Amino acid sequence: GWSLLQVTGTGWSQTEGDPDPGSLEITNVGGFDGYSWGRTCVAVSELTQYSFSYNLKKDGNSVQYPILISWIDWYELPNCAGSESIHALYEWVPFPSVPADVWETHQRGTTTSMAGAVSAMVVLGMDHPAAGLATLYFDHVVLASDPTLFLDGFETGDVTLWSASVP
């Protein structure tokens, strides 16, 4: 369900991935100045808190000038049509700050969808110069309305399934 804009690579890597092989690949081999990104539209509920995160890896052969970007836009109609909101949880990170050839998790935080929102566009990619190879891999992209870590009663004070002893 991802569409690719100004991406000169395949758009999908079958070998890269975290936790498993298979990831969104965003590659720019130079020749134009601007954005290269992947985006997908998902259904959401209005006035609902969502957490946003993804795993990221920069290819070690990438030039150091590009900038990692990501954001979410809320839409009032299905399939990301109609009026949109301003970018939520916008991330803008210079490439030298992204470790090469190592997967890392970007916890973007939480945001509340706008009133009337029924869909959201998730955008991942880079802003780059006109010259130089740059590649990012994205995996385990999460936009979740229930970021609950425990589903065993712990949050409500029921500790019957928990123990302080070490096996």
Side-chain angles (χ1 to χ4, degrees):
W2 289 87
S3 61
L4 305 171
L5 298 144
Q6 297 189 43
V7 174
T8 56
T10 62
W12 183 255
S13 171
Q14 294 183 358
T15 57
E16 293 293 338
D18 182 40
D20 298 310
S23 63
L24 178 65
E25 178 181 337
I26 305 296
T27 299
N28 165 46
V29 294
F32 61 91
D33 188 9
Y35 292 98
S36 291
W37 60 53
R39 64 184 183 180
T40 191
C41 184
V42 295
V44 296
S45 298
E46 69 174 329
L47 300 174
T48 301
Q49 187 175 36
Y50 287 87
S51 63
F52 179 42
S53 65
Y54 52 85
N55 294 347
L56 168 75
K57 179 180 175 181
K58 174 180 75 176
D59 184 278
N61 295 318
S62 296
V63 295
Q64 291 300 311
Y65 182 76
I67 297 167
L68 160 70
I69 55 172
S70 66
W71 70 81
I72 302 164
D73 286 327
W74 310 110
Y75 288 83
E76 63 185 5
L77 297 173
N79 301 314
C80 295
S83 298
E84 67 178 277
S85 69
I86 296 176
H87 303 334
L89 297 176
Y90 184 82
E91 181 175 38
W92 187 90
V93 179
F95 254 42
S97 301
V98 179
D101 297 320
V102 175
W103 283 98
E104 66 178 11
T105 300
H106 281 234
Q107 298 285 348
R108 297 302 308 125
T110 60
T111 185
T112 301
S113 58
M114 69 180 194
V118 297
S119 61
M121 180 71 71
V122 177
V123 180
L124 302 167
M126 70 180 95
D127 183 7
H128 49 76
L133 172 70
T135 300
L136 290 174
Y137 300 98
F138 295 91
D139 202 4
H140 197 66
V141 180
V142 176
L143 180 64
S145 62
D146 183 11
T148 305
L149 296 178
F150 303 107
L151 298 175
D152 54 14
F154 187 79
E155 303 83 359
T156 60
D158 179 3
V159 295
T160 57
L161 296 175
W162 288 79
S163 170
S165 63
V166 177

